[in-house]
Amino acid sequence: MKPIKNALISVFHKDGLLPILSTLKKYNINIITTGGTYKFIEEAGYKAQTVESLTDYPSIFGGRVKTLHPIVFGGILYRRDLENDQKQALEFKIPPIDLVIVDLYPFEKTLEETSDDEKIIEKIDIGGISLIRAAAKNYKDVLIVSSMDQYAELVYVLDENQGKSTPEDRKRFAMKAFNVSSHYDTAIFSYFNQEIKEEVFKSSIQQSLVLRYGENPHQKGVFYGHLEKVFEQLHGKAISYNNIIDLDGGIALIKEFSEPTFAILKHTNACGLASDEKLLHAWKKALAGDPVSAFGGVLIANRTIDQETAEEINKLFFEIILAPGFEKNALETLKTKKNRIILQAKSFDFQTLQFKTALNGVIAQDKDLETEELNDWEEVTVKKPSTREANDLVFANKIVKHTKSNAIVLTKDGQLIGSGTGQTSRIDALKHAIQKAKDFGLDLHGAVMASDAFFPFADSVEFAEKEGIKAVIQPGGSVRDKDSIDYCNKTNMSMVFTGIRHFKH
């Protein structure tokens, strides 16, 4: 146990400080503080000593230099168990500072509020971050509180130990302090690294959610981030690791569509998807695309769920539904299943850098944000796509972009009617997509085909044409492109090249 005689307080946010002041007074702990904090403490009716009176040096350069003084940092850093340190502290009249309470300038919040470089730079804390590091380094003697989030815990520790600190408490608070300081520095580095690009990997996320388990029950799972910014959970059990992966894929997919659209996902792939003027019709068409795989799926819509649509959806067993809103009666209908997860969308404004662990490091890339619209392609066949076919080609290409490779997608009249996902050959993906359509009685005549990458041989267009498919969209780029083009011309098919590959692994 270490007694606490002097506490240094230098905080940006004063919220929650009053219980600490009361506790410090209870245990006769002297307070040393900086300008703005001193005024708050004095107005609250507590006594304190200013840093300026301790150091006999004023705050200078518009407050940029206040606590950066040998008396302050000596009081924090001198080692109480070393005789020479004790002698120097006495020689230079350096009082011990046993508790340091800091709340840093809100750098990240400033980034959210302004793009003014001067204002942002002024919110880079220098004195505060230095106090945190000094106190945390000397945790054997000093207790460091590095964020207003720790105020309540400090009060508990002081009351529990009658105004003293234990080695365990000091080390735990030091760990938190280095977490705060490293996160703060990462945010600052990321700001500077936008224009002057240094190819290093740094990421720091403070908020975490421990999940029931990872991809499988024997794996630990944690989500790092702010799910509450993405959606509000209105009903159901806790979100799982696999749920988050499916939602991530589903949100990326649904963002591609502006017209009323419903998507049904299993293992991040769309097993049903349709667009229509009326959401109910979009739902029915999406479900018809693969009613078997839809069982236990993840449902995502880009329109408010009305009562009529909710009644139809409620007939299916599914895990999750995400939509921008729910009519009151529709929500009550969907809540009839206890564990069903109902999510109301908030913001889909995500970072554009993707990364994951690979081998003994991390691999990162920009997100695939290329989306081909009408005429963003080269017409390579004699026959050109009709207006209906062109619209379906765009529709199909948006889906195949978000489907695991090798991928083939078949669509017709704004409806996904077959998909081959994650196959080891492109022809197998096509065969799988065609069989899916046939299994559910969906007419392939007049359908269109989208491929996430080029056709290495003409066999895919041959196979598709024999099933009634008459329009194709693909990136192109194979040394055998001419074979596919020749076959299309021979059988009066239309084909377009986008020049953009959409592999997804």
Side-chain angles (χ1 to χ4, degrees):
M1 288 273 197
K2 292 261 185 188
I4 298 173
K5 182 179 179 182
N6 297 311
L8 173 65
I9 305 177
S10 179
V11 297
F12 184 87
H13 294 103
K14 314 301 186 289
D15 303 343
L17 204 54
L18 291 178
I20 291 177
L21 298 176
S22 174
T23 305
L24 295 179
K25 182 178 180 181
K26 186 196 309 186
Y27 298 111
N28 298 312
I29 298 171
N30 300 317
I31 298 173
I32 304 163
T33 186
T34 52
T37 308
Y38 175 79
K39 183 180 179 184
F40 174 86
I41 291 171
E42 188 180 51
E43 289 177 352
Y46 295 93
K47 292 182 179 180
Q49 178 184 5
T50 64
V51 167
E52 290 85 351
S53 67
L54 174 69
T55 62
D56 196 27
Y57 212 90
S59 171
I60 58 176
F61 307 128
R64 279 191 165 197
V65 180
K66 296 187 287 282
T67 57
L68 295 169
H69 193 282
I71 289 181
V72 174
F73 280 85
I76 296 170
L77 284 165
Y78 91 79
R79 293 155 290 188
R80 278 60 160 174
D81 59 346
L82 290 188
E83 186 179 345
N84 192 52
D85 280 18
Q86 292 176 0
K87 284 181 179 178
Q88 284 187 319
L90 287 171
E91 179 185 354
F92 295 107
K93 298 180 181 179
I94 297 174
I97 296 175
D98 314 298
L99 169 63
V100 176
I101 302 172
V102 176
D103 185 64
L104 298 169
Y105 290 167
F107 180 79
E108 288 178 285
K109 191 169 188 299
T110 304
L111 285 180
E112 293 173 2
E113 295 173 346
T114 182
S115 58
D116 186 317
D117 187 65
E118 189 173 332
K119 290 180 180 178
I120 291 168
I121 296 303
E122 284 307 309
K123 284 298 184 286
I124 297 176
D125 205 312
I126 302 301
I129 205 79
S130 302
L131 291 171
I132 287 174
R133 290 180 64 84
K137 177 177 180 176
N138 200 27
Y139 73 88
K140 289 183 179 179
D141 296 310
V142 180
L143 180 63
I144 171 63
V145 175
S146 52
S147 166
M148 65 181 298
D149 297 334
Q150 301 162 23
Y151 287 177
E153 187 178 359
L154 171 65
V155 171
Y156 174 82
V157 165
L158 292 177
D159 280 335
E160 185 77 5
N161 301 311
Q162 299 296 301
K164 299 177 181 179
S165 66
T166 68
E168 294 79 15
D169 288 332
R170 292 193 299 274
K171 191 167 187 178
R172 186 178 72 257
F173 274 88
M175 176 272 293
K176 293 183 179 188
F178 284 120
N179 178 34
V180 167
S181 66
S182 63
H183 176 79
Y184 197 77
D185 285 340
T186 298
I188 295 168
F189 168 78
S190 297
Y191 173 71
F192 279 91
N193 201 39
Q194 294 176 100
E195 295 178 14
I196 311 166
K197 197 70 177 173
E198 185 80 13
E199 288 301 341
V200 296
F201 180 80
K202 291 182 187 291
S203 182
S204 178
I205 302 173
Q206 296 288 74
Q207 188 163 317
S208 64
L209 173 66
V210 177
L211 306 170
R212 296 197 303 274
Y213 49 81
E215 201 163 8
N216 299 292
H218 63 277
Q219 295 170 271
K220 180 183 175 182
V222 183
F223 175 79
Y224 298 97
H226 300 266
L227 283 180
E228 75 282 356
K229 292 183 179 181
V230 182
F231 50 69
E232 177 186 359
Q233 183 163 352
L234 305 178
H235 182 74
K237 62 184 178 180
I239 296 282
S240 74
Y241 180 97
N242 291 331
N243 293 157
I244 290 172
I245 298 297
D246 282 333
L247 285 166
D248 184 63
I251 289 169
L253 174 59
I254 205 72
K255 284 171 67 177
E256 300 280 4
F257 302 92
S258 56
E259 59 274 31
T261 302
F262 231 117
I264 307 169
L265 282 88
K266 287 293 283 290
H267 301 290
T268 74
N269 294 306
C271 59
L273 191 147
S275 297
D276 200 282
E277 291 181 0
K278 191 172 182 182
L279 190 64
L280 175 62
H281 296 160
W283 162 250
K284 288 182 175 180
K285 288 163 64 177
L287 181 61
D290 188 346
V292 173
S293 297
F295 184 85
V298 172
L299 280 49
I300 300 186
N302 62 357
R303 293 292 191 278
T304 296
I305 306 297
D306 57 79
Q307 173 64 5
E308 189 180 18
T309 305
E311 287 176 357
E312 286 297 318
I313 296 170
N314 203 43
K315 296 175 182 178
L316 176 74
F317 169 75
F318 61 90
E319 271 209 78
I320 300 178
I321 182 167
L322 171 70
F326 298 86
E327 290 183 358
K328 185 178 179 181
N329 291 339
L331 184 59
E332 293 308 309
T333 296
L334 295 172
K335 280 183 174 181
T336 54
K337 297 294 188 292
K338 176 184 170 184
N339 290 326
R340 179 181 287 162
I341 298 170
I342 303 175
L343 307 174
Q344 183 162 326
K346 287 185 177 179
S347 169
F348 295 161
D349 183 20
F350 305 149
Q351 65 177 358
T352 58
L353 180 70
Q354 291 180 315
F355 53 86
K356 60 181 178 180
T357 58
L359 302 178
N360 63 344
V362 172
I363 190 167
Q365 67 171 356
D366 296 329
K367 279 187 178 178
D368 182 358
L369 300 177
E370 291 289 335
T371 299
E372 296 76 51
E373 299 293 348
L374 280 172
N375 301 318
D376 287 343
W377 55 50
E378 178 189 1
E379 295 173 335
V380 296
T381 51
V382 174
K383 185 186 176 187
K384 310 307 178 191
S386 67
T387 300
R388 182 191 66 79
E389 288 172 336
N391 288 328
D392 270 338
L393 289 172
V394 171
F395 181 81
N397 200 52
K398 288 178 179 178
I399 301 172
V400 84
K401 169 185 169 182
H402 296 276
T403 304
K404 289 290 179 72
S405 302
N406 288 312
I408 292 289
V409 161
L410 308 176
T411 69
K412 184 178 179 181
D413 298 325
Q415 178 189 20
L416 172 62
I417 62 173
S419 63
T421 66
Q423 300 300 307
T424 52
S425 75
R426 199 150 299 281
I427 188 67
D428 282 346
L430 174 58
K431 289 177 180 177
H432 186 75
I434 288 171
Q435 190 58 51
K436 277 277 186 182
K438 288 181 175 179
D439 286 347
F440 302 114
L442 298 168
D443 185 11
L444 287 165
H445 288 84
V448 307
M449 173 171 69
S451 175
D452 64 330
F454 65 64
F455 295 112
F457 306 101
D459 54 355
S460 292
V461 291
E462 290 179 28
F463 200 88
E465 189 271 334
K466 286 179 170 60
E467 296 293 339
I469 295 164
K470 289 294 183 181
V472 180
I473 184 168
Q474 60 140 319
S478 168
V479 294
R480 294 177 177 269
D481 276 346
K482 188 174 183 301
D483 294 350
S484 296
I485 294 169
D486 288 346
Y487 184 84
C488 287
N489 284 332
K490 177 182 172 183
T491 55
N492 202 32
M493 291 178 72
S494 63
M495 183 161 63
V496 298
F497 286 1
T498 64
I500 303 291
R501 188 181 74 185
H502 291 296
F503 269 168
K504 185 183 178 190
H505 294 99

